[in-house]
């Protein structure tokens, strides 16, 4: 295992760590699960944490993981209480918080392309104040939760009664498959975008999303 971990450290340098103290920070999400219950069942301590900043770096990490048969757990805000961003067999904890920010706003098409770890509130605030646009729906945990995380959970939240579930608002997404292949997902692609909605990172790592928008309302 030490050799496999060293490979990740070489790939990302100081943006990867096998320090026991830092690894321990990734053993929990918001759930208050006692160690007495979780540790006999799961190996929640990752062997290494990787913090990529680009889609290409995500691809390199997943290629290494596939070559050495290492489990990978994608994680951003970890703002749920379901343990779905916590390792169960150790391996690589893929901290994707470096994939954050708006890439492009298309006012004519009323869409925004943002990196997967962008927080909902920061996205909506910038769209409203700079562009006069707004997201169609968002989770109640918007100050902390990410657009990629909510897509992976197939979220329903504020605005969903009118605009539907999260993936209906996604025009296009970029993802990295388990073998490291970079793909573009749309409703008509193969595999289709809908396969990845609610998959909780098991089919691949979402790196960016293009969302359809609405005009910013005068009041709410």
């Amino acid at each position: 295992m030490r050799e496999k971990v060293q490979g990740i450290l070489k790939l990302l340098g100081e943006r990867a760590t096998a320090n026991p103290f830092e690894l321990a920070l990734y053993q929990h999400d918001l759930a208050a699960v006692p160690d007495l219950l979780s540790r006999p069942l799961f190996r929640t301590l990752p062997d290494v944490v990787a913090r990529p900043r680009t889609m290409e770096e995500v691809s390199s990490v997943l290629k290494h993981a596939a070559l050495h048969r290492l489990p990978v757990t994608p994680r951003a805000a970890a703002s749920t209480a379901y343990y779905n961003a916590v390792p169960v067999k150790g391996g690589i904890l893929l901290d994707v918080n470096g994939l954050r920010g708006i890439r492009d706003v298309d006012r004519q098409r009323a869409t925004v392309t943002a990196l997967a770890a962008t927080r909902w509130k920061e996205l909506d605030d910038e769209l409203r104040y700079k562009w006069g646009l707004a997201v169609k729906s968002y989770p109640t945990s918007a100050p902390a939760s990410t657009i990629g995380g909510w897509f992976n959970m197939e979220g329903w939240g504020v605005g969903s009664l009118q605009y539907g579930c999260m993936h209906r608002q996604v025009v296009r997404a970029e993802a990295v498959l388990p073998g490291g292949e970079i793909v573009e997902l749309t409703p008509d692609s193969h595999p289709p975008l809908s396969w990845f909605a609610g998959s909780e990172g098991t089919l691949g790592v979402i790196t960016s999303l293009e969302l359809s928008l609405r005009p910013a309302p005068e009041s709410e």
Side-chain angles (χ1 to χ4, degrees):
M1 179 60 72
R2 181 178 177 82
E3 181 182 341
K4 298 174 183 179
V5 167
Q6 286 297 323
I8 296 296
L9 298 177
K10 289 179 181 178
L11 277 175
L12 296 183
E14 63 181 12
R15 287 184 288 104
T17 182
N19 180 287
F21 175 77
E22 292 187 75
L23 298 181
L25 300 176
Y26 292 88
Q27 286 189 277
H28 302 279
D29 56 13
L30 294 185
V33 179
D35 291 341
L36 180 65
L37 295 178
S38 63
R39 291 192 177 177
L41 299 174
F42 310 120
R43 188 156 68 88
T44 58
L45 185 72
D47 295 292
V48 62
V49 171
R51 304 184 183 105
R53 289 181 180 168
T54 66
M55 180 171 55
E56 290 74 20
E57 288 183 343
V58 173
S59 175
S60 295
V61 171
L62 293 188
K63 286 178 181 178
H64 180 87
L67 179 63
H68 296 285
R69 299 185 63 80
L70 291 171
V72 178
T73 305
R75 178 183 175 117
S79 58
T80 67
Y82 301 107
Y83 255 44
N84 45 11
V86 177
V88 295
K89 295 183 179 180
I92 301 171
L93 192 294
L94 191 68
D95 182 338
V96 297
N97 281 294
L99 302 174
R100 187 171 179 175
I102 293 177
R103 183 183 288 173
D104 180 60
V105 176
D106 189 325
R107 189 191 292 272
Q108 186 174 0
R109 295 175 60 236
T111 66
V112 61
T113 301
L115 298 176
T118 305
R119 272 55 175 175
W120 279 101
K121 188 176 187 305
E122 68 185 29
L123 173 64
D124 197 49
D125 284 351
E126 183 164 343
L127 288 171
R128 287 172 187 256
Y129 299 141
K130 291 186 178 181
W131 299 91
L133 298 167
V135 297
K136 290 181 174 178
S137 68
Y138 54 86
T140 55
S141 56
S145 62
T146 66
I147 63 171
W150 208 41
F151 174 77
N152 278 296
M153 290 287 291
E154 181 61 303
W156 293 75
V158 179
S160 293
L161 286 178
Q162 180 168 353
Y163 294 105
C165 59
M166 167 61 175
H167 91 263
R168 293 181 184 173
Q169 300 162 44
V170 180
V171 177
R172 183 182 60 87
E174 291 177 337
V176 183
L177 301 184
E181 180 187 358
I182 297 172
V183 297
E184 181 178 289
L185 304 172
T186 67
D188 300 318
S189 63
H190 300 283
L193 179 71
S194 60
W195 284 18
F196 289 76
S199 67
E200 300 187 13
T202 58
L203 300 182
V205 178
I206 301 295
T207 55
S208 72
L209 296 159
E210 183 180 2
L211 307 177
S212 60
L213 304 172
R214 60 180 174 139
E218 294 183 6
S219 62
E220 287 181 292

